[in-house]
Amino acid sequence: LDAKEEFTHTTLATDVMRPRRTDPPLALLTQDGMTVDEVETMVRETTYNGFPVVVCAESQRLVGLALRRDLLIAIENARKRDDGVVSHSPVYFGLHAPSLAPDSPPPLKLRSILDLSPFTVNDRSPMEIVVDVFRKLGIRQCLITHNGRLLGIITKKDVLRHMAQMANQDPESILFN
Ligand code: ADP
């Protein structure tokens, strides 16, 4: 195998990440502008374990990653507490509460459950490196960005699926021994 041929076989993060072209878009949250009800519905209507939080839908700039169970527990606890959080309370993940309408119910701050530095790689990163990081850091998901814009996600199971595929296609592969 000469260097050029090897290069053409390199699988990149973009080849493995979800969503694929035909999938529905990434299930994500915005750092403000959503209600308790909207966040809860998104979490309950999907089965994903992680939800990227972005500044706004237009910029797709990553703020952090919220885990499904942390979101559900935080919302449940807030509802139990006697501080007036209701279904149409605004949720925010930023440092400061967004400006609220005078008749708005109290907001719910969820910054404390956010992983502010989830593992993130560029979409052109070779999967060989991504696999290595999953192994060495024991992470469960990795976010994929391009020029600061969030594009997708790779979970541990996606990596295992990718490794199984590679092993089938290329039994001699030394990447995944
Ligand atoms: P696992 O891969 O361990 O089952 P998940 O249930 O979180 O973990 O993810 C299932 C599939 O959905 C994976 O292929 C993953 O890439 C994709 N996925 C994970 N999170 C999201 C999300 N927020 N939006 C869209 N797809 C996602």
Side-chain angles (χ1 to χ4, degrees):
L1 221 62
D2 66 21
K4 208 164 93 236
E5 200 172 338
E6 231 173 287
F7 184 70
T8 60
H9 281 93
T10 303
T11 311
L12 305 176
T14 187
D15 304 321
V16 176
M17 72 173 197
R18 304 300 160 109
R20 315 303 306 155
R21 240 181 279 279
T22 52
D23 290 344
L26 211 51
L28 47 78
L29 305 168
T30 51
Q31 79 170 347
D32 41 47
M34 293 180 84
T35 62
V36 167
D37 207 24
E38 284 167 342
V39 172
E40 205 173 19
T41 303
M42 159 143 312
V43 176
R44 291 205 190 278
E45 283 185 353
T46 61
T47 57
Y48 306 129
N49 289 308
F51 296 85
V53 176
V54 294
V55 173
C56 63
E58 294 72 42
S59 78
Q60 298 279 313
R61 212 156 281 277
L62 187 66
V63 177
L65 181 75
L67 294 183
R68 162 185 212 84
R69 61 159 192 277
D70 295 340
L71 284 163
L72 291 177
I73 291 171
I75 291 176
E76 196 187 312
N77 288 343
R79 283 227 169 91
K80 277 190 207 148
R81 277 196 311 265
D82 198 17
D83 51 9
V85 168
V86 290
S87 294
H88 58 290
S89 285
V91 169
Y92 68 102
F93 293 92
L95 275 173
H96 308 289
S99 45
L100 302 171
D103 57 348
S104 166
L108 173 59
K109 182 176 185 175
L110 289 185
R111 190 174 181 83
S112 61
I113 64 159
L114 206 54
D115 176 356
L116 290 167
S117 38
F119 190 73
T120 304
V121 297
N122 180 275
D123 59 330
R124 308 301 296 167
S125 307
M127 273 309 289
E128 185 187 350
I129 292 173
V130 178
V131 168
D132 211 35
V133 173
F134 267 85
R135 279 208 181 117
K136 291 188 174 145
L137 297 185
I139 52 174
R140 298 208 58 94
Q141 55 268 101
C142 164
L143 297 175
I144 314 302
T145 57
H146 182 86
N147 277 345
R149 280 177 77 86
L150 177 67
L151 294 185
I153 187 167
I154 295 178
T155 65
K156 192 171 160 186
K157 273 197 202 152
D158 294 328
V159 169
L160 293 173
R161 210 175 297 128
H162 162 71
M163 285 164 68
Q165 242 168 32
M166 294 298 282
N168 281 343
Q169 279 169 11
D170 181 10
E172 301 301 311
S173 170
I174 49 155
L175 278 183
F176 308 114
N177 54 3

